[in-house]
Amino acid sequence: MSEAAKPPRPQFRNIQLTQIASYRMPLAALVSIMHRISGLFLLLMLPFILFMLDSSLLSEGTFEYLKGFASNWFVKLVILALSWAYLHHFCAGIRHLIMDLHIGLDKDSARKSSATVLTVSIVLMILVALKLFGAF
């Protein structure tokens, strides 16, 4: 094949800050980023969670007060967000541990495992939401 007949090679360049919104990342990258965000959210909320646990164990009065506090719809949404963060972080962590064993590293397997992580964490979050808002 002559030099003139060869198709031009694609050029890969760094994306600029203004191009981030239009950049389409693969599903595995989104799951990985959400794994990091959920871990950061759990880390930042840990002092609040431990304070609430410590306060609830002081006496029956503080437990009843916190029980009433947790019945507020906004607090339930925060608890739901914490539950999603934990469930997603747990499922994605298992995925990363399996990938550390060099299982599922090819493109198709990574896409399927990331879709599985999203599906399982969302289904579990829906179950937690139904229980939290009194469906069962």
Side-chain angles (χ1 to χ4, degrees), residues 41-54:
F41 182 62
L42 288 172
L43 178 72
L44 293 176
M45 293 301 287
L46 186 64
F48 175 72
I49 294 168
L50 291 177
F51 171 74
M52 295 286 282
L53 176 66
D54 184 46

Side-chain angles (χ1 to χ4, degrees), residues 47-99:
F48 175 72
I49 294 168
L50 291 177
F51 171 74
M52 295 286 282
L53 176 66
D54 184 46
S55 298
S56 70
L57 296 175
L58 285 177
S59 68
E60 289 181 24
T62 56
F63 177 77
E64 289 299 322
Y65 171 75
L66 291 174
K67 190 173 161 185
F69 177 72
S71 65
N72 185 354
W73 66 271
F74 182 74
V75 176
K76 285 184 179 182
L77 286 178
V78 172
I79 292 171
L80 187 61
L82 279 168
S83 300
W84 171 82
Y86 172 74
L87 292 168
H88 178 78
H89 197 74
F90 182 77
C91 293
I94 291 174
R95 175 181 179 255
H96 285 296
L97 285 175
I98 292 171
M99 290 172 69

